[in-house]
Amino acid sequence: MIKKISVKNFRSLKDTEINLEALNIFVGQNDAGKSNILKALNLFFNGQSDFSNRFDFESDFCKFAAKVNRKAAEIVIRLEIQPPASYSLTKPHTTVFWEKRWRRSGPHSDQIKYPNGDPIQDLSRVNAWARKFRYRYVPAVKGQDYFQSLLQDLHDTLLITVSAQIKQAAANFVKTIQEHTADVSTEINSLLRLDSQINMPPDLRVLFGTLDFQTKKNAEDISLQKRGDGIKSRHIPIILKFLCEAESKHQEKGTPKITNVWGYEEPENSLELSKTFELAENFLAYSKRIQMLVTSHSPGFYAAAQDAAKPNGKTRLFYVEYDDADNSTKHVDKTTIPNELDASMGLLPLVAPYVDKKQNELSAIFANKLSQQVIPELAICVEGPSDVNILTKALEQFGPKLYSLIKAQKVKFLLNPQGSGHTYVKQMTLGRAYALNAKFRTAAIFDKDLGAIQSKKEVDADSKVEKSKLSGSTITLSLEKPPHLNVANLSFYFAIEEIIKIETWKYAETKGWLEPRPDISKFCNVRFGATETAISVLTKAGLKPENQIYVSHQVELHSKEAFAKHIGKLSNSDAKIQLEYLDKICQKLEDFFA
């Protein structure tokens, strides 16, 4: 493990010394200064100051370095490293210094010594162990060239771990190609008198650099290269972790243990803010086995770092700033200082208005509910009164335990009597998640129309709701599409009434509870031309004639109550038939409150 890094005259690091831990977070508005520690380590271990760029003394030497007469200008990087406990060092030493120097002519010296300057014997295991450090540098811009390099690293690791299998797979691949191109080889032999066959290149690194990940989205294969930068970047630490574990697992017996160190720039790039908190937790877990130096602007990382550092965590948090008076970069240890970075990072003024607005909205919701004194601990949030009648009857058939709890007033429905729809369900679910009441259990049921789909997405993306779900306090459900609306690959945007079977709809038609659907495009994403109708297109796609009424008509707004009351009066045997497609959601609700 690297305990301390000292850098002289590398870029903005004129004379810098930093004590390190398992996870080190560098934050601040000085981007170049933050990354220079990571780049210095890349130079130290890999001979590159930037990704894919070789060291260049003229550009990498600090412009403000102090000039010393009769002494060559040089960059000095020194690490204090701690070998494993099993490595015996000369007492009282527990660490060793590893120092490298660069001059205009290139690398100048490379020495491992005790802190007092005494040399370490050439045959010492410490020398061999130090040379097994593996430093992986991840640049802020993670372009295709970086992914190619990462996949080539994967080749190198597999060549060590499963070399025979890789060679056999390559041989089988080539054999198949040669069989199908035999005519080409025959004609070349005949005309040129050369025995020539297609074969694999001797170095498969280039081939590995062209490989790709295939990702699934709605059952379709999509190249990772075609996905967003955020999804691509989330693959990187997982691949790096695999490389570290594979190398360690397949080390030759008796060889020094590999020490893995990551230098990771801006891992939050291209990620939604909530995802940075998840990634920070992943990094904290990885740092138990991999030493990590991370630069970041994100509160997801610096907040996680400060939390993990208390009381005796192995995490350090540094604020990086440029000292104009001294023309050098300073690293201020903020590990044990209460979180004051939001303001200095420029985040607080930006986020505060949104936080205040959301807090006011939630406070208003609960102030209203407190005044009505209807805040049940166990609640099902629904979009309107008709949902209550239909779900109650369905639960009587398919969720008898939950039905008993509802009848005993132990579980209550939450709704706006005027039927405020998905907006109400969203607000109540958020409000209860933010209330931080450990006794609250909330089930939210959204219709499957476009507005409800969006509201559910917003609720599911909220960090408090995510935590509430993990603790088992919240569940969010969407109505499931019934079989009579399964037409080709079309999407339908429906409410609870459209789940009820056709016999009830035919009865509703006789009672005058239905009306022509004014805009079929809001119910189904079907496309049709000027000479076609939506019904005719849907029928060709597989909509059964008897089910056309679901598309052509809808339950009239003021008749929803009558429709729901009719459901409530059905006999149990008829209800089981008519409400069959609510069986699954009833089971989920009963399991949640069980």
Side-chain angles (χ1 to χ4, degrees), residues 297-562:
H297 296 97
S298 172
F301 279 87
Y302 62 72
Q306 285 192 319
D307 289 343
K310 296 178 286 188
N312 294 308
K314 294 186 176 296
T315 303
R316 283 194 181 275
L317 177 65
F318 300 94
Y319 184 76
V320 184
E321 55 191 355
Y322 194 79
D323 187 340
D324 289 311
D326 189 41
N327 287 313
S328 63
T329 296
K330 306 296 183 185
H331 298 75
V332 183
D333 192 334
K334 297 278 189 178
T335 306
T336 59
I337 300 174
N339 200 331
E340 58 187 38
L341 291 175
D342 288 336
S344 56
M345 292 291 290
L347 180 69
L348 200 59
L350 182 66
V351 173
Y354 295 95
V355 174
D356 289 343
K357 181 180 178 183
K358 190 162 193 175
Q359 188 62 48
N360 290 338
E361 288 176 357
L362 296 173
S363 297
I365 292 169
F366 269 82
N368 179 48
K369 289 303 164 189
L370 281 170
S371 65
Q372 300 175 33
Q373 296 184 344
V374 285
I375 304 184
E377 291 179 354
L378 309 179
I380 304 172
C381 301
V382 294
E383 295 196 13
S386 58
D387 298 65
V388 174
N389 290 329
I390 294 172
L391 282 170
T392 301
K393 190 67 177 180
L395 285 167
E396 185 179 4
Q397 315 309 314
F398 308 117
K401 292 181 182 178
L402 178 54
Y403 175 75
S404 298
L405 292 175
I406 291 171
K407 284 296 182 182
Q409 296 289 299
K410 293 181 179 179
V411 177
K412 295 184 178 181
F413 286 99
L414 289 182
L415 70 151
N416 187 326
Q418 282 70 47
S420 56
H422 58 83
T423 302
Y424 178 87
V425 177
K426 178 179 77 171
Q427 290 176 342
M428 287 306 303
T429 308
L430 288 171
R432 291 172 66 85
Y434 274 75
L436 301 177
N437 187 329
K439 295 182 179 180
F440 276 177
R441 302 198 73 196
T442 309
I445 301 178
F446 292 89
D447 285 351
K448 209 62 184 289
D449 57 84
L450 289 170
I453 291 171
Q454 181 59 34
S455 283
K456 185 175 183 296
K457 282 183 179 179
E458 292 172 5
V459 169
D460 289 339
D462 188 273
S463 60
K464 291 289 187 182
V465 173
E466 286 184 346
K467 289 183 179 180
S468 186
K469 284 183 176 183
L470 289 173
S471 69
S473 300
T474 298
I475 185 173
T476 59
L477 302 171
S478 288
L479 298 175
E480 297 185 21
K481 184 166 67 173
H484 48 259
L485 294 182
N486 280 334
V487 180
N489 293 317
L490 296 178
S491 297
F492 287 84
Y493 310 110
F494 53 91
I496 196 168
E497 289 84 3
E498 277 82 19
I499 295 179
I500 314 303
K501 285 191 174 179
I502 191 66
E503 289 79 10
T504 300
W505 274 67
K506 289 180 178 178
Y507 177 79
E509 186 177 28
T510 65
K511 301 295 291 184
W513 297 339
L514 305 184
E515 64 178 358
R517 198 176 290 278
D519 188 353
I520 291 177
S521 67
K522 291 184 178 180
F523 179 68
C524 177
N525 65 342
V526 63
R527 295 182 179 181
F528 52 95
T531 60
E532 299 175 299
T533 65
I535 294 295
S536 65
V537 173
L538 285 168
T539 301
K540 289 178 184 177
L543 180 69
K544 293 181 179 180
E546 63 268 25
N547 294 330
Q548 291 179 3
I549 191 171
Y550 290 105
V551 179
S552 61
H553 287 74
Q554 65 185 18
V555 178
E556 194 267 330
L557 180 63
H558 298 292
S559 299
K560 284 182 175 257
E561 184 179 357

Side-chain angles (χ1 to χ4, degrees), residues 3-220:
K3 298 293 291 182
K4 183 185 295 182
I5 177 172
S6 303
V7 184
K8 288 187 177 182
N9 301 333
F10 177 75
R11 298 193 176 183
S12 65
L13 306 176
K14 190 165 66 172
D15 191 354
T16 299
E17 185 173 276
I18 307 173
N19 293 318
L20 300 176
E21 278 291 358
L23 178 63
N24 307 274
I25 311 289
F26 299 91
V27 302
Q29 297 176 334
N30 178 11
D31 286 340
K34 291 207 309 291
S35 64
N36 281 341
I37 282 290
L38 278 59
K39 295 179 191 297
L41 284 170
N42 199 37
L43 172 60
F44 188 92
F45 288 109
N46 302 324
Q48 298 176 328
S49 49
D50 290 295
F51 172 70
S52 75
N53 291 330
R54 301 298 297 178
F55 168 69
D56 178 66
F57 187 88
E58 296 302 325
S59 60
D60 289 326
F61 184 72
C62 180
K63 304 301 181 185
F64 301 100
K67 295 180 181 179
V68 181
N69 291 332
R70 298 184 180 182
K71 187 172 182 180
E74 61 183 8
I75 295 171
V76 183
I77 302 176
R78 184 176 65 188
L79 308 182
E80 183 177 355
I81 54 178
Q82 183 176 35
S86 59
Y87 284 56
S88 57
L89 300 178
T90 301
K91 294 182 179 180
H93 303 301
T94 58
T95 62
V96 296
F97 283 176
W98 186 3
E99 182 183 277
K100 292 185 180 183
R101 294 172 182 259
W102 291 261
R103 293 182 178 178
R104 281 188 172 85
S105 57
H108 179 68
S109 66
D110 179 348
Q111 296 180 321
I112 301 177
K113 296 182 178 182
Y114 284 113
N116 64 358
D118 289 346
I120 296 175
Q121 294 77 11
D122 291 339
L123 297 179
S124 169
R125 293 173 64 205
V126 172
N127 281 298
W129 164 77
R131 306 292 173 180
K132 295 283 282 189
F133 266 74
R134 184 83 79 248
Y135 179 75
R136 286 190 164 90
Y137 170 65
V138 184
V141 179
K142 302 161 184 66
Q144 188 57 34
D145 56 342
Y146 175 75
F147 275 91
Q148 288 178 347
S149 172
L150 193 60
L151 289 170
Q152 287 171 347
D153 282 350
L154 179 62
H155 162 269
D156 295 343
T157 301
L158 293 177
L159 203 60
I160 296 171
T161 58
V162 287
S163 175
Q165 293 93 321
I166 292 291
K167 290 178 180 177
Q168 184 60 50
N172 293 338
F173 176 64
V174 169
K175 182 180 178 182
T176 301
I177 292 176
Q178 289 176 346
E179 289 173 355
H180 288 277
T181 59
D183 291 345
V184 176
S185 298
T186 300
E187 189 160 353
I188 291 172
N189 197 326
S190 174
L191 297 177
L192 305 181
R193 298 188 180 184
L194 286 173
D195 186 4
S196 179
Q197 290 182 316
I198 292 176
N199 210 333
M200 296 288 282
D203 184 358
L204 297 182
R205 292 188 93 250
V206 176
L207 177 62
F208 263 71
T210 65
L211 297 179
D212 191 15
F213 284 86
Q214 290 295 321
T215 65
K216 288 282 187 183
K217 185 175 178 64
N218 296 331
E220 294 292 336

